[in-house]
Amino acid sequence: MSAAKALVASDLDRTLIYSAAALGLTMPDARAPRLLCVEVHESRPLSYLTETAATLLQELGDTADFVPTTTRTRKQYQRINLPGPAPKYAICANGGHLLVDGVSDPGWHARVTARLAAECAPLAEVRAHLEATADPAWVRKHRVAEDLFVYLVVERELLPEEWVKDLAVWAENRGWTVSLQGRKIYAVPKPLTKSAAMREVARRTGTTLTLAAGDSLLDADLLLAADRGWRPGHGELAEADWTGPAVTALPERGVAAGERILREFLTACERQGPV
């Protein structure tokens, strides 16, 4: 009987795929790589990876159990068309939904919502606080995601730093986490984690090696839970100079980081040996 494949749980946005605004992070035009669009919404291209990264991701999908792991809602995730085999598992809504062959596992979702009801302040309280304190001068959208968490789309240059700090303290006291990623501010319940969903997939697949990557505060638990993790040289974790015992902080930024992460995944899988 062959051993189980390695499980690769990777964040998507600003880790493997990039919007036009996040693509190069000051990359010179002369060094701009060839790109593949992997997300279109309302007839507009939204997200990309390099053609090299696309080839690496195809290889990874053939080598490991690749599990896209995202804070995106199911609907937002399903807009993405990644190269390689269709993943059997995907983690959406920061762990609130575990997709199996594209369909949310109802048992997993029920377990998650029961934990949220028992362990943290209700969504309605957090949503009301954001609506009462966020200034319309810099807020462009209020959004509720999957009835699990909330986020704001803001004008980043107008966003007061003190407001974000005050919100983080307020949320911490109610069992929630605040994460600032580009033009979005997320407020997410602490029991709603990518790591719990990754552990469930690992249990189902029987893997003995878990690998992970991510760039934001909402990925920290995932990186710490994996046997090995990587973070790019940009993003919320890099800005905080965050790391962990088995986490490698990469120097690459932008799409170059996406390529490096995929190479690191493949190297780790090769060292595991044949399956």
Side-chain angles (χ1 to χ4, degrees):
M1 183 177 177
S2 62
K5 293 180 179 180
L7 188 156
V8 176
S10 181
D11 177 51
L12 297 178
D13 294 281
R14 294 172 69 91
T15 298
L16 293 188
I17 68 174
Y18 291 80
S19 68
L23 272 175
L25 297 169
T26 71
M27 179 183 294
D29 289 349
R31 292 174 52 199
R34 290 173 60 89
L35 300 172
L36 175 68
C37 178
V38 294
E39 180 186 13
V40 176
H41 181 52
E42 295 178 345
S43 302
R44 291 191 305 117
L46 289 187
S47 299
Y48 306 82
L49 44 65
T50 68
E51 289 186 350
T52 299
T55 300
L56 294 169
L57 187 54
Q58 174 90 41
E59 185 179 348
L60 183 66
D62 292 332
T63 304
D65 286 321
F66 174 63
V67 183
T69 305
T70 180
T71 305
R72 286 180 177 232
T73 65
R74 288 170 290 172
K75 186 175 181 180
Q76 291 167 338
Y77 165 69
Q78 287 162 352
R79 296 198 304 246
I80 301 171
N81 183 23
L82 293 172
K88 180 173 180 60
Y89 296 101
I91 296 166
C92 294
N94 215 64
H97 285 281
L98 175 57
L99 305 190
V100 184
D101 294 323
V103 178
S104 181
D105 182 315
W108 174 256
H109 184 62
R111 285 163 56 188
V112 169
T113 53
R115 279 197 69 190
L116 299 187
E119 298 178 20
C120 60
L123 172 66
E125 179 182 346
V126 178
R127 181 183 184 185
H129 180 78
L130 288 175
E131 290 177 346
T133 63
D135 191 335
W138 42 262
V139 174
R140 293 295 168 259
K141 297 176 184 176
H142 288 259
R143 291 288 185 266
V144 175
E146 301 271 23
D147 290 323
L148 292 169
F149 61 91
V150 291
Y151 65 93
L152 306 178
V153 181
V154 301
E155 294 292 346
R156 184 70 180 263
E157 63 275 11
L158 300 178
L159 178 67
E161 286 186 19
E162 282 305 313
W163 183 87
V164 178
K165 292 177 183 177
D166 290 345
L167 175 64
V169 172
W170 183 91
E172 176 74 26
N173 292 332
R174 287 157 181 81
W176 286 61
T177 295
V178 171
S179 174
L180 177 58
Q181 303 177 37
R183 296 178 59 239
K184 292 181 179 178
I185 300 172
Y186 293 89
V188 177
K190 284 182 176 290
L192 185 68
T193 64
K194 294 177 177 180
S195 59
M198 180 192 72
R199 289 189 184 100
E200 176 64 12
V201 177
R203 184 189 69 80
R204 296 186 188 193
T205 62
T207 187
T208 58
L209 178 64
T210 54
L211 309 173
D215 70 297
S216 82
L217 182 62
L218 297 178
D219 297 310
D221 68 283
L222 178 71
L223 297 178
L224 292 173
D227 294 312
R228 291 193 65 192
W230 292 265
R231 69 151 174 86
H234 63 259
E236 205 173 19
L237 295 179
E239 289 167 8
D241 200 25
W242 181 93
T243 190
V247 178
T248 300
L250 300 174
E252 289 87 353
R253 296 163 53 84
V255 288
E259 289 186 7
R260 173 71 184 274
I261 287 166
L262 288 165
R263 288 192 175 96
E264 294 288 343
F265 285 152
L266 284 165
T267 298
C269 291
E270 289 165 5
R271 287 174 179 165
Q272 183 194 27
V275 297

